[in-house]
Amino acid sequence: MTASARHTASYYAASSVPHPDYPALMGEVRADVCVIGGGYSGLNTALELAERGFSVVLLEARKIGWGASGRNGGQLIRGVGHGLDQFAKVIGTDGVRQMKLMGLEAVEIVRERVERFQIPCDLTWGYCDLANKPRDLQGLAEDAEELRSLGYRHQVRLLQAHEMASVIGSDRYVGGMIDMGSGHLHPLNLALGEAGAAQRLGVKLFEQSEVTRIDYGTQVKVHTAQGQVHATTLVLACNAYLNGLNPHLSGKILPAGSYIIATEPLSEAQAASLLPQNMAVCDQRVTVDYFRLSADRRLLFGGACHYSGRDPSDIGAYMRPKMLQVFPQLANVKIDFQWGGMIGIGANRLPQIGRLAEHPNVYYAQAYAGHGLNATHLAGRLLAEAISGQQQGRFDLFARVPHMTFPGGKHLRSPLLALGMLWHRLKELV
C-alpha cells in the first residue's frame, strides 16, 4: 500500500473504528450530482442530497477523511467565521444575525448526525475559551452576551482567574468562558461513520480516484485515471487540497500547516489534574493552542499554524515545548504520536460557500480557517438546500460575500500571509 493509499500516521488512524476500503472508480457512471472530496464538506453534502432524493457519486483522491477531516483537533465549537459584523454592509444586520444563528445550528447538525446514525466517535460535551490576557476577558464577556441575545440554549459561564483550576491545571490563564453546547470528538471516526451513513442512503463512494480533469458544461464530465462521472451538478469540496483543480478557487484559499502531538495514555489522576472536567479548550492568541483529552486519556495538544508549505522536520520537537509551557508537569511524559496537515484559510476568515459565476451548476465550499468541524456540516446543508431549490436564501448569504484572491500566485501567497500573521502577533505583545 502506498503512502497516499492510507491515512496519515496519527493517533486517530491508530484508534479508528474498523471501516471498509471503498473501490476506485472504473469506467463510466452517471449521477445527478458528483461531489469531489471525501472530507466533512463532501460527505455531508452527499448525505443531505441523498436524503432529498438525489443520486450522488463522491470521489476521493486518497482515503475518506484523509485530509483535515481525519486529522484535526476534534474540537466542536459553536460559530462560523470570524468577526461576522464586518459583513453587515454586504448582507445587512439581519443577514449577519442569520449567519450567527447558523453557527449555532452547525453544532446541532453534528449532534444529530452522531445520534441518528449512532456514530461511535467519543462525542463529549463541554468546552472552555481560555483568556491569555485581561483584555481577552472583555471579548469573552461580549461573546457570552451575544450568545444570550441569540437565544443560545446551553450553559455559558464566565470564569475569573481564581476559578480556572476547576477547568485546567495550569496557571497560564487569567480567566475563561465555559460553553456546554460545544465539545470534542474523534474526528476520523466521525468522517468514517458519515461515509457509512451516506453509502446506506445510496451514495456511491470511490477512493483512490483523483480527479485529473473536469469538462464543464450543462452536463459536467469528471475524469479520473480509470473512469468518468457524468453529472448535472458538480460540488468541489477539496478545501486546502484543491490544488490546481480549479485555479480560480484555489487562488482564494491559502493552505496552512497545523500540527498535533498525542501523549502516552495518562493515569486517571494525571488526566484529571490537567483537565478536571474533560473539556476541550482553546486560547485566544493568533497562534492558537488547542488541546483536550482523548477517550483513552491522552493529551492531544495542537496549534502552530505554518504558512511556508513545509512541515517542521520533527513535529514532536516543535510542539512539545509549547505543551510544556502550559503543562510543565508533563516534562517526563512520552509523546506517542505526532502529525500535521493543511487547513484552508481565506483572507476574510469566512467560509467560502458559493457557485461559479461562469458555471452555475458548479458549487463549492472551502476555507474554514481551522474551525471546520462544525462549519463543514453547515456547508453541506446549505449546498444541498441550494441545489434542491430549498431555502436558497441561506446559501445566498454566504455566496454574496466577496472573497479576495491572494496576490502573487501560489508561490507568494504563503510569505505574504506569514507577514500578515506576524503583524497580528506583534500587536498581541502591546
Side-chain angles (χ1 to χ4, degrees):
M1 184 181 287
T2 65
S4 65
R6 58 177 181 263
H7 292 105
T8 189
S10 68
Y11 163 71
Y12 299 133
S15 58
S16 62
V17 295
H19 56 278
D21 289 323
Y22 295 99
L25 178 65
M26 306 286 287
E28 295 194 17
V29 296
R30 296 181 180 275
D32 297 324
V33 183
C34 177
V35 175
I36 304 176
Y40 295 142
S41 296
L43 291 168
N44 282 278
T45 302
L47 266 169
E48 296 271 356
L49 287 168
E51 290 178 322
R52 289 165 172 79
F54 288 81
S55 60
V56 184
V57 166
L58 183 147
L59 302 175
E60 165 53 44
R62 295 174 177 85
K63 297 284 293 178
I64 294 295
W66 178 87
S69 297
R71 309 187 199 187
N72 67 77
Q75 303 218 1
L76 179 61
I77 306 170
R78 74 197 178 266
V80 58
H82 299 255
L84 294 182
D85 290 324
Q86 67 182 296
F87 305 116
K89 59 184 179 294
V90 180
I91 60 174
T93 54
D94 184 63
V96 169
R97 180 177 173 81
Q98 288 185 59
M99 275 191 179
K100 291 176 179 179
L101 288 169
M102 283 189 273
L104 307 183
E105 177 188 345
V107 173
E108 295 306 311
I109 296 172
V110 179
R111 185 195 298 267
E112 292 164 8
R113 288 271 188 276
V114 173
E115 291 178 355
R116 177 182 171 189
F117 297 112
Q118 293 296 291
I119 298 174
C121 62
D122 306 324
L123 178 56
T124 302
W125 295 106
Y127 167 77
C128 187
D129 279 306
L130 305 173
N132 298 83
K133 296 185 176 184
R135 68 185 179 197
D136 294 333
L137 289 172
Q138 179 59 37
L140 295 179
E142 292 170 0
D143 289 346
E145 181 56 37
E146 180 175 89
L147 287 170
R148 281 190 283 269
S149 75
L150 293 171
Y152 195 49
R153 66 186 181 90
H154 303 285
Q155 180 195 2
V156 173
R157 185 162 68 90
L158 292 168
L159 302 176
Q160 299 303 313
H162 68 276
E163 299 174 285
M164 291 304 293
S166 68
V167 171
I168 184 168
S170 174
D171 59 5
R172 200 176 190 207
Y173 306 102
V174 300
M177 185 181 80
I178 288 175
D179 169 15
M180 295 308 297
S182 296
H184 56 98
L185 51 73
H186 190 302
L188 179 56
N189 282 345
L190 175 63
L192 296 172
E194 290 175 339
Q199 186 182 51
R200 292 192 294 274
L201 287 170
V203 176
K204 295 179 180 177
L205 299 160
F206 297 98
E207 295 179 324
Q208 309 302 323
S209 300
E210 183 174 3
V211 173
T212 57
R213 189 175 89 247
I214 301 169
D215 296 335
Y216 297 99
T218 52
Q219 290 279 312
V220 292
K221 187 176 183 181
V222 180
H223 300 260
T224 68
Q226 297 174 297
Q228 301 88 38
V229 180
H230 300 262
T232 304
T233 303
L234 176 66
V235 176
L236 298 171
C238 307
N239 199 26
Y241 297 94
L242 181 66
N243 300 321
L245 192 57
N246 185 288
H248 171 74
L249 290 180
S250 61
K252 296 181 183 298
I253 188 170
L254 178 80
S258 189
Y259 308 99
I260 304 177
I261 52 177
T263 68
E264 63 186 326
L266 305 174
S267 69
E268 288 188 21
Q270 279 179 304
S273 72
L274 300 183
L275 295 165
Q277 299 185 54
N278 192 21
M279 291 182 175
V281 296
C282 181
D283 71 13
Q284 305 303 299
R285 298 174 309 130
V286 172
T287 54
V288 60
D289 288 338
Y290 53 87
F291 42 99
R292 66 184 185 90
L293 295 169
S294 65
D296 58 351
R297 297 193 304 273
R298 301 172 187 271
L299 181 70
L300 307 185
F301 191 97
C305 267
H306 256 224
Y307 303 95
S308 66
R310 297 185 301 273
D311 291 335
S313 58
D314 186 334
I315 291 171
Y318 181 68
M319 291 297 298
R320 185 183 179 91
K322 300 177 186 298
M323 178 186 76
L324 294 180
Q325 285 182 330
V326 180
F327 295 121
Q329 62 268 45
L330 295 180
N332 296 320
V333 169
K334 181 185 170 192
I335 303 300
D336 276 356
F337 297 92
Q338 55 182 41
W339 70 96
M342 292 295 174
I343 61 176
I345 299 177
N348 63 13
R349 311 296 290 278
L350 182 75
Q352 299 169 12
I353 303 170
R355 62 202 296 184
L356 297 182
E358 66 276 25
H359 303 296
N361 60 338
V362 179
Y363 295 76
Y364 60 86
Q366 60 181 25
Y368 303 105
H371 295 273
L373 206 163
N374 69 324
T376 48
H377 287 70
L378 176 69
R381 178 161 293 176
L382 297 183
L383 289 170
E385 287 175 355
I387 291 167
S388 63
Q390 301 172 330
Q391 299 193 67
Q392 181 79 34
R394 285 160 47 98
F395 168 87
D396 286 344
L397 280 177
F398 283 87
R400 281 161 51 193
V401 175
H403 297 281
M404 183 188 84
T405 298
F406 284 101
K410 65 180 182 179
H411 298 296
L412 286 180
R413 285 202 300 267
S414 292
L416 286 171
L417 188 60
L419 283 173
M421 295 298 287
L422 177 61
W423 167 247
H424 285 291
R425 290 175 66 184
L426 290 172
K427 285 172 65 179
E428 285 181 337
L429 300 177
V430 299

